[in-house]
Amino acid sequence: MIVTSIKEYDKKRCQIYIDGEMQFMLYKGEIRRYKIMQGQEIDQMTIDVIIREVLTKRAILRAMNLLQKRDYTEYKLREKLKDGGYPEQCQEEAIAYVKSYNYLDDRRYAADYTRYYMESRSSKRISQDLMQKGIDKDLISEVIKEAYADENSDNEMNQIRNLLLKKHYSKEMDYKEKQKIMAFLYRKGYSTELIYKAMDIE
């Protein structure tokens, strides 16, 4: 295996390319310590040591630091680690570590998110938001079903009525104006049935 390129990423770190592929990122002092030089061979043992003793530990610390500041889904945390130049093996180790201490829990994240937004957003909108954060579709359905089971069934209807008040909706509006409001509500994730009912349209 050949170190084909060492590209400076910032003032402290460089991307290490082996056989033309970006493998990992190291601090300049680490590059000197492991005697990594462009155009020179690197053996598998050295790569394994770097991944195990340097990058995996660093990935775990990075994951912990990120989760101290805010909650992440597994998908988004993995994205952050990938953006940091950590190899897939290190990402997996870091994810497994924080999950083992319950620092990372997609069910908890989805439940907290749903409870926080259910008074102001439709269940469909919440579901779409969580899917964009990489949470499993079946898990989202379970969490939303559980959350809404304890809530007043008129929750979304009340949200629509409040939005209609803000839009100064009146049954006397012409059809074109009503269509605009209906489209606005539909984009918010409310069902056509609820929109018609709230607007008292047959």
Side-chain angles (χ1 to χ4, degrees), residues 20-79:
E21 299 274 334
M22 205 289 276
Q23 296 296 320
F24 41 71
M25 200 140 49
L26 290 174
Y27 285 95
K28 291 177 181 179
E30 292 164 345
I31 293 171
R32 290 192 293 272
R33 186 195 314 161
Y34 291 101
K35 299 179 174 62
I36 298 171
M37 290 179 282
Q38 189 169 313
Q40 299 292 313
E41 283 195 19
I42 185 168
D43 58 65
Q44 188 62 51
M45 186 180 291
T46 302
I47 293 171
D48 290 343
V49 167
I50 290 168
I51 288 174
R52 186 176 63 253
E53 296 183 5
V54 178
L55 297 174
T56 296
K57 290 178 182 178
R58 188 175 296 153
I60 290 170
L61 287 173
R62 175 67 175 148
M64 295 280 284
N65 287 335
L66 286 166
L67 289 166
Q68 277 182 341
K69 293 172 186 173
R70 51 164 282 201
D71 217 359
Y72 281 86
T73 63
E74 183 176 332
Y75 175 81
K76 288 295 182 181
L77 184 60
R78 199 182 298 276
E79 269 192 344

Side-chain angles (χ1 to χ4, degrees), residues 53-187:
E53 296 183 5
V54 178
L55 297 174
T56 296
K57 290 178 182 178
R58 188 175 296 153
I60 290 170
L61 287 173
R62 175 67 175 148
M64 295 280 284
N65 287 335
L66 286 166
L67 289 166
Q68 277 182 341
K69 293 172 186 173
R70 51 164 282 201
D71 217 359
Y72 281 86
T73 63
E74 183 176 332
Y75 175 81
K76 288 295 182 181
L77 184 60
R78 199 182 298 276
E79 269 192 344
K80 280 283 189 181
L81 293 173
K82 188 178 179 181
D83 291 344
Y86 293 101
E88 192 173 332
Q89 182 182 334
C90 301
Q91 296 170 35
E92 294 298 334
E93 293 274 0
I95 295 290
Y97 182 88
V98 293
K99 282 177 84 171
S100 72
Y101 287 94
N102 293 317
Y103 297 138
L104 184 69
D105 185 332
D106 278 2
R107 176 176 281 278
R108 183 183 66 228
Y109 184 101
D112 289 347
Y113 190 95
T114 301
R115 280 194 296 270
Y116 185 82
Y117 286 108
M118 65 192 301
E119 293 298 323
S120 58
R121 295 181 184 177
S122 66
S123 58
K124 185 178 177 182
R125 166 71 189 279
I126 291 169
S127 179
Q128 289 170 343
D129 290 348
L130 291 171
M131 277 193 277
Q132 285 176 355
K133 293 176 185 294
I135 296 180
D136 178 74
K137 192 176 180 180
D138 291 337
L139 177 57
I140 294 168
S141 296
E142 283 178 31
V143 167
I144 287 178
K145 188 176 179 182
E146 288 168 9
Y148 280 83
D150 300 327
E151 289 296 313
N152 189 321
S153 60
D154 290 334
N155 194 35
E156 289 196 358
M157 180 64 77
N158 290 334
Q159 290 174 26
I160 295 171
R161 285 174 177 150
N162 286 334
L163 289 167
L164 289 173
L165 283 172
K166 288 179 183 177
K167 290 285 183 180
H168 307 292
Y169 171 70
S170 164
K171 281 185 73 177
E172 282 67 49
M173 280 180 171
D174 63 45
Y175 187 67
K176 194 174 180 181
E177 287 298 312
K178 286 181 180 178
Q179 275 190 316
K180 284 182 183 177
I181 292 174
M182 286 162 67
F184 163 75
L185 293 169
Y186 189 75
R187 286 195 300 273

